Amino acid sequence: MKKQSVISLLMLSVTLTAQKINLAIEAGFGLSNVHTNETVGISNASGFTAGISARIQLNKNLWFQSGLFYLPKGAQKTILTESSTINTRRVISYFELPANVIYYFNSEKVGGLFVSTGMYAALAAAGHTFKTVTDTGKEVEKSTKDIVFGNQVNQVNRFDYGLSFGLGYQSPAGLYIKGQYEIGLQNVVNTKYVYNRSFQLMIGYIIKI
């Protein structure tokens, strides 16, 4: 029921009456981490993100935005022992559907600063765990393991959803840069306390139609 409600909210875009519709392409760099009760050794993972979106004008300053984005999320954990360093990096590749409201302090045509807020729903396409064991400065083991999705103990939920907040600047020519922070509201790993957190720095271009 919870998943159906989120998807229903994101599909409201098809019912909006638009004054104007623009397309946008975006690409950039993302940093991700997890909110968890494990406080030792957790650090960021990074990756490339890209997507395409449609923007529907609601009034002079306000737009509704949705689309489809490829977005890797994850984190890494480092454990130090007396004889070795163990680094484990988990990365999950998501296809994400956002539903954001964008507010331009000037009109979109003029450009300038804008802010955005909304929510997202995401579906995991694949995931991998990369493990490296280093002993006294020499790499001794390197392995990759596929992440198992499902509802069993310690398996990973394929569905994720959450909130997003953004700030950016757009030129009159339609080129823009923005930063966006996402807060996951779905527990990623069954029987554990793990929620996605991510930040993306994106460059985009408006295609007016």
Side-chain angles (χ1 to χ4, degrees), residues 118-139:
M119 60 191 309
Y120 70 87
L123 188 66
H128 306 280
T129 299
F130 307 93
K131 184 177 180 180
T132 303
V133 179
T134 304
D135 186 7
T136 62
K138 182 179 179 181
E139 187 177 295

Side-chain angles (χ1 to χ4, degrees), residues 71-140:
L71 190 63
K73 295 182 181 181
Q76 55 183 337
K77 182 176 181 179
T78 302
I79 299 175
L80 301 177
T81 69
E82 292 182 358
S83 60
S84 64
T85 300
I86 304 171
N87 179 268
T88 304
R89 183 166 64 97
R90 172 178 286 176
V91 178
I92 303 174
S93 299
Y94 289 97
F95 285 102
E96 188 170 290
L97 177 69
N100 294 320
V101 175
I102 303 173
Y103 179 81
Y104 287 88
F105 290 95
N106 298 311
S107 68
E108 186 273 340
K109 183 177 180 180
V110 174
L113 289 174
F114 63 86
V115 294
S116 65
T117 187
M119 60 191 309
Y120 70 87
L123 188 66
H128 306 280
T129 299
F130 307 93
K131 184 177 180 180
T132 303
V133 179
T134 304
D135 186 7
T136 62
K138 182 179 179 181
E139 187 177 295
V140 296

